[in-house]
């Protein structure tokens, strides 16, 4: 059973770090493109919230990576996502209304 679980975990990681990562990067690039050449901050503010959501999902997809699985690319993903979130996420704010809000503390 353990070898089967290891194979399934490896397959899941391939999907999370391959096709899913590419989809999230595509969404992120679209949001960035919408912000470029905009004079008002409304689009920037809204897209920044969405970009933070994407970066949080990127971190979730890469969580629990074992030390022996860590690569330069994975380390880059972690650092970039944490840097983006730490400088742009509005911590402990009610961003989505009361129905979907989850306390961050």
């Amino acid at each position: 059973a353990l070898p089967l679980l290891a194979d399934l975990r490896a397959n899941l990681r391939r999907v999370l770090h391959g096709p899913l990562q590419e989809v999230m990067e595509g969404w992120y690039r679209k949001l960035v493109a919408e912000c470029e050449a905009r004079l008002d901050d409304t689009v920037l503010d809204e897209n920044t919230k969405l970009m933070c959501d994407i970066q949080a999902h990127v971190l979730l997809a890469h969580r629990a990576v074992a030390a022996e699985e860590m690569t330069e690319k994975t380390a880059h993903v972690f650092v970039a996502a944490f840097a983006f979130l730490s400088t742009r996420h509005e911590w402990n704010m009610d961003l989505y209304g009361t129905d979907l809000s989850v306390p961050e503390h």
Side-chain angles (χ1 to χ4, degrees), residues 2 10 20 24 26 40 53 72 80 102 104-105:
L2 194 54
L20 179 63
M24 289 191 287
D40 71 31
D53 290 344
E72 186 177 323
V102 176
E104 296 178 350
H105 45 61

Side-chain angles (χ1 to χ4, degrees), residues 48-97:
T48 299
K49 291 174 190 175
L50 295 171
M51 291 186 305
C52 284
D53 290 344
I54 291 170
Q55 292 299 329
H57 281 83
V58 167
L59 286 174
L60 286 173
H62 285 80
R63 72 178 186 196
V65 171
E68 61 272 6
E69 297 174 319
M70 184 64 69
T71 64
E72 186 177 323
K73 181 180 178 183
T74 304
H76 173 81
V77 167
F78 275 110
V79 172
F82 275 119
F84 187 89
L85 287 171
S86 67
T87 59
R88 291 176 181 88
H89 181 64
E90 297 178 9
W91 300 99
N92 295 317
M93 302 292 287
D94 187 18
L95 301 177
Y96 302 106

Side-chain angles (χ1 to χ4, degrees), residues 13-57:
R13 290 260 186 232
R14 276 192 287 279
V15 171
L16 291 175
H17 300 173
L20 179 63
Q21 180 72 25
E22 292 170 12
V23 168
M24 289 191 287
E25 287 172 0
W27 291 342
Y28 186 88
R29 284 190 300 272
K30 281 184 176 182
L31 293 169
V32 169
E34 287 180 11
C35 294
E36 293 175 348
R38 295 286 181 153
L39 297 177
D40 71 31
D41 288 342
T42 307
V43 172
L44 177 63
D45 292 344
E46 189 60 34
N47 284 11
T48 299
K49 291 174 190 175
L50 295 171
M51 291 186 305
C52 284
D53 290 344
I54 291 170
Q55 292 299 329
H57 281 83

